[in-house]
Amino acid sequence: MKRTVAILALALLAGCRFETREQAAKHAARAQVADIDGMASESAATLPATLAGKAVAFQPGQKGNAAIAVRLTGKVVAVSDGARARSLSIDTNGDGSADAIVQLGPVVRGTTLRDALGKYTFNDFDSQIEYARYARAINDRVVGQVRAAAAKIGQGSSVEVVGAYVPDSDGTAFVTPAQIRPAA
Amino acid sequence: MVERRTVLGMLGAATLVAGCSSRAGGGHGIIAIIMPPYDNPFFRAQAEASRDRAKALGYEPLMLVHDDDASKQSEMIDTAIARGAKAIILDNAGAAATVAAVRRAKAAGVPSFLIDRELNVRGVAVSQIVSNNYQGAQIGAEAFVAAMGEKGPYAELVGREADTNATIRSEGFHAIIDQYPDLKSVARQSANWSQTEAYAKMESMLQANPQIKGVICGNDTMAMGAWAALKAAGRTDVIVVGFDGSDDVKQSILSGGIRATVLQPCSRQARMAVDQADAYLRTGSTGQPEKQLIDCVLIVPSNAAKLSNFDMRA
């Protein structure tokens, strides 16, 4: 019994010594690993309502650097039916040409939903890989739902879209949707 | 980044170190600037930008090079503590391996300000300022896709697998490229950020897949290696895109070689880190969150001339 205790104590001591640098760092890293899926599910659940609440009306040609929530209504002038990236081109001002492209995935580019929501920031994650995966997980969930809802929307339909984009391009706005519904 | 050590790089480091120890001034105390080896111009640019800013703000820069060796870095951090440094500016030698040393500095009252590479924990450094690699990789990939005409077989050269930046850039590339079913990945290999490795990998990939139409690279040194191999094989028709914004790649872009790269504004990040160290020392706060992402800039023939030493000139 005594011997066991002594061996255990020794093992613990030895363990402590090894713990000092690399191991301590690794342990600290493991202890803080973010629950990315959990955070994404939590964010995705409230995202459409939150973005709808703070969305500004879409203006073609607007400039900016940061992702913002936006609401746009218009007519679908084209549907691109790529297997990996379906999208709707929308004319918002009635001039017959598209001012916005709404991406429906399944491969979604950008992090604008995450950034416009702003629920968790880079400071909430241990690495930019986690932060990027969190954005992707939100895209998968939210755009996945929108894609299902938009399955019947075709060319000529009038739609209202709430989403997010970075208003910095000279050309067509590239919007990631949080909600699409038929408009009058 | 590049592991290759050259005599030139060592000489360069020596000059930088000598250059600052002979300077007078530094009334506000020492700021230790600990960087990876200067043979990669990226790290040299960071070192010079932070050194110049520290001097301008009245600090004495203490220039140290850790050679991507975590135990060497640990000793340097101890040196900084022993010399009574007010702050440490650090591009670290390993996300996990660095934590203990930075924590030791913190316990000794020396705050650390990190650039370029992250730690894998929060609350140890005061600032961690890093390039938005995910955003940068996506804009680079968009340029690549456009140059490829949205189709064709392509290869990817990845950085050192253990490095966060290698993973995140590859994920960013694929977030874009995978949208195009006619772009076919035929080869994907790590060249460990190295120009010479990239040359060899490109040669062998080209032999196995002569139909390759484009190569997307995780950094500029690998892009330079790939481009040299393509030139040697008479295949300058192959589209190459890099990442970093080095002056070498800038020259290649301007002369119609490499198509595009993505600038990490590392000189700006280095200045920001010193400014934040100064603000923290004076007021106890940087006014910024610990973790900060700085967006990258796409470099193409139309804006490449403005690029110099990892900065965009007005």
Side-chain angles (χ1 to χ4, degrees), chain A residues 72 74-82 85-92 95-104 150-159 161 172-174 180:
Chain A
L72 58 91
K75 199 170 184 185
V76 177
V77 292
V79 178
S80 117
D81 261 322
R86 188 165 184 255
S87 67
L88 306 176
S89 298
I90 297 180
D91 171 20
T92 62
D95 68 355
S97 70
D99 320 296
I101 294 174
V102 175
Q103 59 170 342
L104 296 173
K152 289 186 189 135
I153 292 175
Q155 199 169 332
S157 314
S158 290
V159 291
V161 179
T172 313
F174 195 76
I180 290 188

Side-chain angles (χ1 to χ4, degrees), chain B residues 109-184:
Chain B
V110 186
S112 297
F113 301 80
L114 275 75
I115 53 175
D116 180 39
R117 300 170 181 165
E118 295 167 81
L119 296 180
N120 62 3
V121 294
R122 283 160 282 154
V124 181
V126 175
S127 295
Q128 300 192 51
I129 305 170
V130 299
S131 299
N132 193 345
N133 285 282
Y134 196 60
Q135 169 264 351
Q138 295 197 16
I139 58 176
E142 282 174 1
F144 182 72
V145 167
M148 293 284 289
E150 304 184 1
K151 59 177 187 286
Y154 75 96
E156 180 183 359
L157 283 172
V158 191
R160 193 172 55 220
E161 303 273 16
D163 194 328
T164 305
N165 286 344
T167 309
I168 187 96
R169 287 178 200 165
S170 186
E171 287 189 10
F173 289 156
H174 286 281
I176 298 298
I177 295 173
D178 294 356
Q179 295 187 98
Y180 299 91
D182 295 335
L183 280 167
K184 302 262 188 263

Side-chain angles (χ1 to χ4, degrees), chain A residues 135-151:
Chain A
R136 245 189 129 148
I138 289 180
N139 286 346
D140 289 346
R141 285 164 172 75
V142 175
V143 181
Q145 284 176 3
V146 173
R147 185 168 58 252

Side-chain angles (χ1 to χ4, degrees), chain A residues 20-111:
Chain A
T20 48
R21 286 192 182 171
E22 311 283 321
Q23 295 285 1
K26 271 183 200 148
H27 285 167
R30 229 174 277 142
Q32 275 195 25
V33 165
D35 172 19
I36 295 170
D37 276 341
M39 291 164 99
S41 295
E42 181 198 345
S43 301
T46 55
L47 187 139
T50 308
L51 289 201
K54 56 176 167 184
V56 299
F58 177 72
Q59 288 175 297
Q62 197 180 343
K63 302 267 182 204
N65 288 314
I68 55 167
V70 69
R71 181 188 306 272
L72 58 91
T73 45
K75 199 170 184 185
V76 177
V77 292
V79 178
S80 117
D81 261 322
R84 298 189 204 180
R86 188 165 184 255
S87 67
L88 306 176
S89 298
I90 297 180
D91 171 20
T92 62
N93 54 9
D95 68 355
S97 70
D99 320 296
I101 294 174
V102 175
Q103 59 170 342
L104 296 173
V107 181
V108 178
R109 73 170 81 166
T111 57

